Amino acid sequence: MSLMLEETRNAPERIRGQLQRNAPVLAALGERLRLAEPAAAVTVARGSSDHAASYFAYQCMKRKGIPVASLPPSLTTLAKAPWRLTGQLALAVSQSGQSPDLVATQQSLAAAGARTIALVNTPQSPLGAASDSEIPLYAGEENSVAATKSYLATLSAMAQLIGHWQEDRLLLTALDELPGRLSEALATDWSPAIEALLHADKMMVIGRGAGLAVAQEAALKFKETCAIQAESFSGAEVRHGPMALIGPGYPVLVFAPPGPEQAGLLELTEWLKSVGAQVVLASDKSVVQRNLTLVDAGHEDLQPLSVIQSFYQMVAGLAAARGSDPDRPRHLNKITCTL
C-alpha cells in the first residue's frame, strides 16, 4: 500500500480528532470575528493549500457577502506592494508553515493592519508565529509528497471556522457526522475511473461553486501522481474557450454532487457526451447516469470533502495501475521554499 493511500484512509479519524480539539478555539475565534466583522478577506497559500483556500473564499463570500481574494506572495517578496488592509482578514494556509514567501507575506499583511490567521499542520511554525491566531490541522505527519489528509483536514477546519463564525448549528452538526461519511466515501467503488483513465495523457476535471476547489485539487493530483496533463475548469467557464479542446474520446471527469450547481453540470455532461467526449460522471445515487457514486456529506457545503475523499483513493490506485509511485513524484519535494 502506498503512503498516499494509507494517509488518505487515515483522514476520517484525523478529522474526528481535529473537530473535537479545535471546537473551543474556533468558537472563540468565531465570536471575535462576529464582534468585529472584517470588511474583506485575503488568502495566502500555494499548491493544494491554495486550492483549499478557494473553498474558504467561496464559502465566505456566499455566507458573509464579503469579497475574498487570493494574493500572489510575489507581490510582497518581489514587487514590495504597499499593502493597506485595516479591517480585513488574512488567512494563510500551509502544511509545514515554513515557506519563506508565505511567512513574509503574512508578516507584511499584519503590518498593514490585517487580522491574521494561519492554518498549519505543524504547530508552532514560523507562519503561525507571524499570525495572530494559529489553528492546528491535527492531520498527523504526512510523508507522501502528494498531500491528502492534510488537504481534507484544511477543508474541515475552514468549515468549522465558518460554522462558528456564523453560529450555524446545522453545519456544525453535519461536521460532527462528517468522519463517518468520509469513511463511507472510502468504501465506494471508483474502479471505473481507473479503467477509463488508465491510458489518458490529457484530460479535464470539472466542478462548480465550492466544488471547483476539489476539481483544482484533483487536476493537480492527476499531474503529480499520474503524469496526466489535467486541467480544472468551472462548469460555467468550460463553455467558453476550453470547449475547443473537446473531441472524440477526450477524457473529462465531472464532479456533480447534490446542490444548486448539479443541474447545470448534468446538462453539461450530456453535451460533452454528444460531441464524443469520454465522460466519467461522479454524482449521488439519485443520478442514474453516474459512473461513480458520491456519498452524501450531510450538508451542501461539505459535499466537496466527500468528493475528494473518494477521489484520493481512486487516484492512488490509478497511479499504481500506470506504474507510477504516488509517494515520490519526479522533481517534487514535500516542502517547497520559494520567494
Side-chain angles (χ1 to χ4, degrees), residues 7-124:
E7 288 169 355
T8 194
R9 289 180 176 176
N10 185 235
E13 284 310 304
R14 290 293 182 177
I15 289 173
R16 190 186 305 278
Q18 176 209 70
L19 293 169
Q20 294 170 353
R21 297 171 76 176
N22 278 346
V25 175
L26 291 178
L29 180 54
E31 182 178 11
R32 292 198 297 273
L33 289 171
R34 288 195 304 277
L35 290 173
E37 292 276 357
V42 296
T43 62
V44 181
R46 289 199 184 278
S48 290
S49 294
D50 192 44
H51 302 154
S54 69
Y55 170 84
F56 173 81
Y58 192 89
Q59 300 294 358
C60 190
M61 289 187 282
K62 182 180 81 168
R63 288 169 163 269
K64 303 301 297 182
I66 61 174
V68 184
S70 173
L71 296 187
S74 63
L75 284 171
T76 295
T77 60
L78 300 181
K80 311 299 182 185
W83 298 118
R84 297 192 301 272
L85 277 86
T86 300
Q88 299 186 37
L89 177 68
L91 178 73
V93 189
S94 173
Q95 295 173 51
S96 69
Q98 296 181 35
S99 188
D101 57 349
L102 302 186
V103 175
T105 298
Q106 192 78 329
Q107 290 170 336
S108 294
L109 299 179
R115 284 180 286 169
T116 53
I117 301 171
L119 292 178
V120 294
N121 197 36
T122 306
Q124 300 179 326

Side-chain angles (χ1 to χ4, degrees), residues 43 54 57 82 110 112-113 116 126 131 144 166 174 204 206 228 245-246 277 313 325 332:
T43 62
S54 69
T116 53
S131 305
S144 176
Q166 279 210 300
M204 287 185 189
I206 296 175
I228 298 174
L245 294 172
I246 304 295
Q313 180 164 252
D325 183 352
L332 298 178

Side-chain angles (χ1 to χ4, degrees), residues 5-315:
L5 185 55
E6 180 180 346
E7 288 169 355
T8 194
R9 289 180 176 176
N10 185 235
E13 284 310 304
R14 290 293 182 177
I15 289 173
R16 190 186 305 278
Q18 176 209 70
L19 293 169
Q20 294 170 353
R21 297 171 76 176
N22 278 346
V25 175
L26 291 178
L29 180 54
E31 182 178 11
R32 292 198 297 273
L33 289 171
R34 288 195 304 277
L35 290 173
E37 292 276 357
V42 296
T43 62
V44 181
R46 289 199 184 278
S48 290
S49 294
D50 192 44
H51 302 154
S54 69
Y55 170 84
F56 173 81
Y58 192 89
Q59 300 294 358
C60 190
M61 289 187 282
K62 182 180 81 168
R63 288 169 163 269
K64 303 301 297 182
I66 61 174
V68 184
S70 173
L71 296 187
S74 63
L75 284 171
T76 295
T77 60
L78 300 181
K80 311 299 182 185
W83 298 118
R84 297 192 301 272
L85 277 86
T86 300
Q88 299 186 37
L89 177 68
L91 178 73
V93 189
S94 173
Q95 295 173 51
S96 69
Q98 296 181 35
S99 188
D101 57 349
L102 302 186
V103 175
T105 298
Q106 192 78 329
Q107 290 170 336
S108 294
L109 299 179
R115 284 180 286 169
T116 53
I117 301 171
L119 292 178
V120 294
N121 197 36
T122 306
Q124 300 179 326
S125 67
L127 186 61
S131 305
D132 298 326
S133 303
E134 181 185 65
I135 308 301
L137 298 178
Y138 294 118
E141 186 176 4
E142 193 170 54
N143 293 305
S144 176
V145 171
T148 55
K149 62 180 180 176
S150 62
Y151 178 83
L152 277 156
T154 304
L155 296 191
S156 60
M158 289 171 169
Q160 191 177 30
L161 170 59
I162 290 170
H164 282 296
W165 184 358
Q166 279 210 300
E167 295 183 290
D168 186 335
R169 299 313 310 173
L170 287 176
L171 177 56
L172 293 172
T173 298
L175 276 165
D176 290 339
E177 300 172 356
L178 179 65
R181 305 231 181 205
L182 294 181
S183 294
E184 290 181 44
L186 284 169
T188 57
D189 178 15
W190 275 33
S191 59
I194 296 177
E195 297 168 10
L197 301 173
L198 185 58
H199 302 293
D201 61 352
K202 58 182 179 296
M203 63 177 296
M204 287 185 189
V205 187
I206 296 175
R208 196 172 182 190
L212 180 58
V214 292
Q216 293 168 333
E217 172 64 5
L220 175 62
K221 286 297 179 287
F222 278 129
K223 293 184 185 81
E224 66 182 354
T225 68
C226 301
I228 298 174
Q229 188 176 343
E231 301 300 330
S232 59
F233 293 99
S234 161
E237 293 165 356
V238 79
R239 294 179 181 274
H240 299 281
M243 284 291 202
L245 294 172
I246 304 295
Y250 190 98
V252 183
L253 174 58
V254 179
F255 293 144
E261 299 86 9
Q262 187 181 67
L265 290 166
L266 295 181
E267 178 186 350
L268 175 63
T269 294
E270 293 307 308
W271 182 88
L272 290 167
K273 290 179 180 178
S274 75
V275 296
Q278 182 186 14
V279 180
V280 181
L281 173 64
S283 199
D284 62 284
K285 291 180 179 178
S286 71
V287 179
V288 296
Q289 65 268 40
R290 72 188 186 281
N291 306 101
L292 311 172
T293 301
L294 295 177
V295 171
D296 183 0
H299 191 287
E300 177 184 311
D301 293 345
L302 300 180
Q303 300 296 1
L305 284 84
S306 172
V307 172
I308 204 65
Q309 178 73 91
S310 291
F311 171 83
Y312 279 149
Q313 180 164 252
M314 181 279 292
V315 81

